[in-house]
Amino acid sequence: MEQKAFIKVTCSILTISDTRNLTTDTSGKLIQSQLELAGHQVISRVIVPDDATLIKQKMNDLATNGSFCLITNGGTGIARRDITYEALFATIQQEIPGFGEIFRMLSYEEVGSRAMVSRAFAGFSENGLLIFALPGSSNACKLAMEKLIIPELPHLIAERQK
């Protein structure tokens, strides 16, 4: 069933990178722009290095700042420093498996078999925060935002409030 009334969602963006800063974080900027164009509110955009303790700490900080949605980018591949999945997936109480499945399917159409190494995921954390973990690539973030997150974000929040 289609969501009838638009729900403005309060969001935070967490870029996970050892090399980016707020100026060079093109993926974080893209995510923020897409959310704001869709009518949502971004109350925080921060960068944290690829360190599991710091990622969890920042996620907990952002969960208490009034956000209902946290979108991360970076660290979802299989390089040794890619630890976003390990750091955040354990906090998921209710996974949305279709997000990762459809994201990889759509990615496959764009990049071929390389899409299989993405460990992008989504779900609700123990404290009710909706988390989307995206790759760091701006093209991947654009795909996820345009095809999956922006169209479904109000619906996901509405369903969770029932």
Side-chain angles (χ1 to χ4, degrees):
M1 177 190 271
E2 188 175 328
Q3 178 65 29
K4 293 187 176 27
F6 176 76
I7 297 173
K8 181 178 184 174
V9 181
T10 305
C11 305
S12 289
I13 301 163
L14 179 60
T15 297
I16 300 161
S17 174
D18 288 334
T19 60
R20 295 184 187 165
N21 59 45
L22 286 175
T23 304
T24 61
D25 177 24
T26 56
S27 294
K29 288 178 191 175
L30 182 142
I31 294 166
Q32 181 172 359
S33 173
Q34 293 277 327
L35 287 167
E36 290 173 346
L37 282 171
H40 302 293
Q41 180 183 15
V42 175
I43 60 173
S44 181
R45 182 169 73 88
V46 296
I47 298 176
V48 67
D50 294 281
D51 176 284
T53 302
L54 294 175
I55 293 168
K56 289 177 195 173
Q57 188 177 61
K58 188 52 73 173
M59 191 255 335
N60 287 330
D61 292 347
L62 295 172
T64 61
N65 76 354
S67 292
F68 292 104
C69 177
L70 171 64
I71 302 175
T72 74
N73 71 93
T76 61
I78 57 168
R80 290 186 191 271
R81 294 288 297 158
D82 290 338
I83 45 111
T84 300
Y85 184 90
E86 288 76 13
L88 295 182
F89 192 77
T91 70
I92 298 297
Q93 182 182 51
Q94 186 176 36
E95 183 186 6
I96 305 171
F99 173 81
E101 295 162 359
I102 295 171
F103 175 77
R104 282 180 284 280
M105 179 195 74
L106 293 170
S107 293
Y108 179 80
E109 294 171 2
E110 290 190 4
V111 300
S113 58
R114 284 186 299 154
M116 76 173 151
V117 301
S118 172
R119 298 184 298 157
F121 68 89
F124 288 92
S125 70
E126 299 149 350
N127 54 13
L129 185 67
L130 174 57
I131 299 174
F132 292 98
L134 309 179
S137 154
S138 291
N139 286 341
C141 289
K142 183 176 190 281
L143 173 73
M145 294 303 294
E146 289 180 355
K147 301 282 187 180
L148 300 170
I149 297 173
I150 295 299
E152 293 302 322
L153 185 55
H155 172 74
L156 293 170
I157 297 298
E159 283 297 308
R160 190 62 177 197
Q161 293 174 349
K162 288 183 180 179

